[in-house]
Amino acid sequence: MKSISMKYVCVLAFCIAAMVSATGGVCAGEVVPGATLQIGAGGSDITTLDPHRATTSTDKPLIGLMFNGLVRFKPGSADPKDLEPDLAERWETSADGRVWTFFIRKGVKFHGDWGSLTADDVVYSLTRAADPNRSSFAADFAAMDSIEKVDEATIRITLKYPDPNFLGRLSNYHGGNILCKRAVEELGGKFASNPVGTGPFAFAEHETQRHVKLVANEGYFRGRPQISTIMYRTIPSDSARELAFSSGELDVIQGRREQRWVDTTRQRSNMVVDVFRPGEFRTLHINSSIPPLDDIRVRQAIAAAVNLDDLVQFVGKSVSLKGCSVVPPGYIGEDCSSGPYAYDPVKAKALLADAGYANGLTLKVVVSNISAILPTMEIIQRQLAKVGIKLDMSVVDHATYQSQIRGNASALVFYGAARFPVADTYLTEFYHSSSSIGKPTAVANFSHCEVADAEIQAARVEGSVERQQELWKEAQRKVHEAVCSVPLFELQQVWGHSKRVNYGYELKGAMNLAPPITEETTLMPR
């Protein structure tokens, strides 16, 4: 009798140890072998699967499934303190912080028949990431002076100056993703639609405006994924995604980033709601290259007409955080001394009159139809109308929106982005003149702001932390004074997953803006 009881206890203990609350407490022994995970993402289609060019919230989750960096954010975390070895087993840093030596994990295979990872691939990838002609994240590697191969499994990077955030730049995010040199060179322009990485899942097919199919990387260095296939479906309609989830067609969906949706959905018995960081910082960029927005009085009027408190109340406390600077909340270097612009519609009307627009004006604006953008822009449209600024809004699908705003077609650009959490990345990508739309080095400077170039550049090479903070503060002051944009709020990531899904980790953050699917993710039977 005693032995039977012990056996029962052991089996019970095993099941309890394998349980994760988000999965509804199903024992891990009941996972579906060779499962297909159905994911429903917003957006009408992907833009590119080249990691060094992927900037949209539809593309980045896929990049995170197919590629690795030298280091990685621990699954479920977006905190730089949680960086851990990935393709590099270990690294060494010189006493002055300028020389970094990385020892590459041996035996890592690229997807398909593209061979094994070597130091040549790492050198090639990081050199490419630092090249503005081949990468949208070249500015992140401005500190890099040289990168060299020491031997087949060792590389050495020398910096022009110490960069306290350099390790994060080499993570599995943006330019830190490592590519297969031979695949990029042989495929050329086709690489962006036929990516080759080392991640847990490999690219299989893309059906335009329908889905991207990924398959398990059988030779993944951390072990074969328990999920065999991922169908990443692009479904721009929120209601269509929810209906597909309710009917059992989807296992994981991108949710509405609205308080009402979160509160309502949490009452459902079959779904777990995930709200996590980093939030995408919502900003209304004012395109000063389009008259009359080249007149600072008109820009000041727009800033004074926006009621930020109303916007935050609409979005909701669980999913939003009010901003106080052009640098997002919580980023290293954020400075709130200039504060948000004061809501003052009377002042806005006076500024317009002084600029010669006492009877108002009309601005042509391109707006995405996704729920994370359109409802907020409709509120801003009503707010601006109260002071005489009419927004002639062209509502388009998200892919068209991304294309048109990068073609300088919109007077105002409502844009949200999450970046590595340090002031330099945000100031460089959105407020340095080299990042202005229309330039060969363009990233996301939709306002054509150029007033703080000197401070942004000086801060990047400053060795003193205190002086660096002062330079970032001055840059933020100048951008605020010039009214290059109206900072709004940080919008958290909101997803939902079936209780049948066990991510395999606790989800608190994800730099690629979606729950990472790892080799440990499982799907339980219905």
Side-chain angles (χ1 to χ4, degrees):
M1 185 69 180
K2 183 177 180 180
S3 62
I4 294 175
S5 297
M6 287 303 296
K7 181 184 293 184
Y8 173 79
V9 170
C10 288
V11 172
L12 181 61
F14 172 78
C15 283
I16 291 173
M19 288 166 62
V20 175
S21 60
T23 70
V26 180
C27 181
E30 298 177 17
V31 301
V32 179
T36 294
L37 188 70
Q38 300 279 352
I39 300 176
S44 58
D45 201 6
I46 59 170
T47 304
T48 179
L49 293 179
D50 180 341
H52 296 166
R53 288 296 189 188
T55 59
T56 73
S57 57
T58 305
D59 298 344
K60 290 200 283 189
L62 288 163
I63 299 300
L65 300 177
M66 295 185 288
F67 292 88
N68 297 90
L70 289 177
V71 299
R72 71 169 185 170
F73 285 88
K74 184 185 301 181
S77 174
D79 189 337
K81 293 193 295 291
D82 288 334
L83 288 171
E84 63 182 16
D86 199 9
L87 294 179
E89 291 184 312
R90 60 187 179 90
W91 55 88
E92 298 172 353
T93 312
S94 64
D96 63 1
R98 292 184 58 241
V99 180
W100 294 71
T101 304
F102 290 88
F103 302 90
I104 301 166
R105 191 184 300 270
K106 296 178 181 178
V108 176
K109 301 286 187 181
F110 284 109
H111 301 151
D113 299 322
W114 291 100
S116 298
L117 173 74
T118 69
D120 291 319
D121 297 295
V122 178
V123 170
Y124 175 83
S125 297
L126 296 180
T127 301
R128 183 181 190 263
D131 181 355
N133 295 315
R134 295 183 289 170
S135 168
S136 297
F137 313 110
D140 291 345
F141 298 90
M144 201 163 68
D145 187 35
S146 66
I147 176 170
E148 59 184 318
K149 170 184 174 182
V150 178
D151 57 42
E152 288 300 315
T154 311
I155 67 153
R156 181 180 296 121
I157 300 174
T158 302
L159 304 182
K160 301 171 187 173
Y161 45 84
D163 179 358
N165 304 299
F166 187 64
L167 192 63
R169 303 184 197 280
L170 303 179
S171 66
N172 55 334
Y173 178 68
H174 284 177
N177 286 295
I178 301 302
L179 320 180
C180 175
K181 176 184 178 182
R182 184 164 69 90
V184 177
E185 292 181 337
E186 291 185 15
L187 293 173
K190 295 181 179 179
F191 180 82
S193 56
N194 295 275
V196 178
T198 54
F201 296 93
F203 175 80
E205 68 178 29
H206 169 219
E207 190 171 335
T208 303
Q209 295 188 340
R210 290 185 65 85
H211 70 256
V212 174
K213 178 181 178 181
L214 305 181
V215 296
N217 176 6
E218 302 282 347
Y220 186 49
F221 63 88
R222 287 193 173 90
R224 185 194 186 283
Q226 298 193 56
I227 298 294
S228 290
T229 305
I230 294 176
M231 296 299 293
Y232 184 89
R233 297 169 57 185
T234 49
I235 307 174
S237 167
D238 297 313
S239 57
R241 287 198 306 277
E242 292 171 40
L243 183 62
F245 182 90
S246 296
S247 65
E249 296 176 48
L250 296 175
D251 305 304
V252 180
I253 66 169
Q254 188 169 5
R256 295 177 189 248
R257 287 187 272 183
E258 301 171 359
Q259 188 70 46
R260 289 172 297 176
W261 188 90
V262 171
D263 292 341
T264 301
T265 308
R266 279 180 171 157
Q267 305 304 313
R268 298 176 61 164
S269 61
N270 64 338
M271 182 189 285
V272 177
V273 176
D274 301 308
V275 179
F276 56 95
R277 302 194 78 177
E280 292 172 274
F281 191 47
R282 275 11 199 183
T283 300
L284 187 66
H285 296 272
I286 304 175
N287 190 342
S288 62
S289 73
I290 297 178
L293 301 181
D294 53 343
D295 187 328
I296 192 171
R297 293 169 295 183
V298 177
R299 300 198 300 275
Q300 290 171 334
I302 291 172
V306 173
N307 188 333
L308 179 54
D309 289 333
D310 276 1
L311 292 175
V312 172
Q313 183 177 3
F314 168 76
V315 177
K317 60 182 180 180
S318 293
V319 297
S320 66
L321 180 63
K322 183 177 177 179
C324 67
S325 169
V326 294
V327 172
Y331 279 40
I332 297 170
E334 174 202 17
D335 181 78
C336 294
S337 57
S338 295
Y341 297 105
Y343 174 57
D344 190 341
V346 174
K347 178 182 177 181
K349 290 180 180 179
L351 285 164
L352 288 175
D354 189 48
Y357 298 97
N359 296 322
L361 56 89
T362 299
L363 300 174
K364 291 185 177 297
V365 179
V366 180
V367 180
S368 170
N369 62 0
I370 66 173
S371 63
I373 293 180
L374 182 56
T376 306
M377 272 305 294
E378 288 174 337
I379 295 175
I380 292 174
Q381 182 184 40
R382 292 194 291 270
Q383 291 180 349
L384 295 185
K386 291 179 180 178
V387 303
I389 301 173
K390 178 184 177 182
L391 298 189
D392 181 6
M393 297 202 320
S394 173
V395 180
V396 298
D397 65 82
H398 196 62
T400 302
Y401 156 80
Q402 291 284 355
S403 174
Q404 291 191 2
I405 61 174
R406 285 174 170 75
N408 211 45
S410 188
L412 302 177
V413 176
F414 179 78
Y415 197 82
R419 296 291 184 261
F420 190 79
V422 61
D424 175 65
T425 56
Y426 226 83
L427 290 171
T428 297
E429 289 189 29
F430 291 94
Y431 300 103
H432 192 281
S433 63
S434 65
S435 300
S436 295
I437 296 304
K439 292 188 176 182
T441 54
V443 184
N445 185 348
F446 302 109
S447 62
H448 297 267
C449 193
E450 56 184 22
V451 296
D453 282 9
E455 288 76 15
I456 295 171
Q457 290 170 207
R460 195 177 299 141
V461 301
E462 178 57 55
S464 163
V465 173
E466 292 77 14
R467 176 57 181 155
Q468 186 180 60
Q469 295 279 346
E470 291 173 3
L471 288 164
W472 282 335
K473 177 179 179 179
E474 178 63 9
Q476 290 167 78
R477 186 195 66 78
K478 284 188 171 183
V479 172
H480 179 274
E481 188 175 83
V483 199
C484 295
S485 67
V486 182
L488 300 173
F489 54 86
E490 184 179 76
L491 189 62
Q492 306 296 296
Q493 307 305 320
V494 179
W495 287 69
H497 70 272
S498 166
K499 290 185 176 180
R500 299 170 54 235
V501 176
N502 176 357
Y503 289 143
Y505 55 83
E506 183 182 2
L507 179 57
K508 294 182 178 179
M511 288 302 296
N512 286 311
L513 311 184
I517 307 304
T518 75
E519 72 283 358
E520 296 183 358
T521 302
T522 57
L523 184 66
M524 308 301 175
R526 295 187 184 280

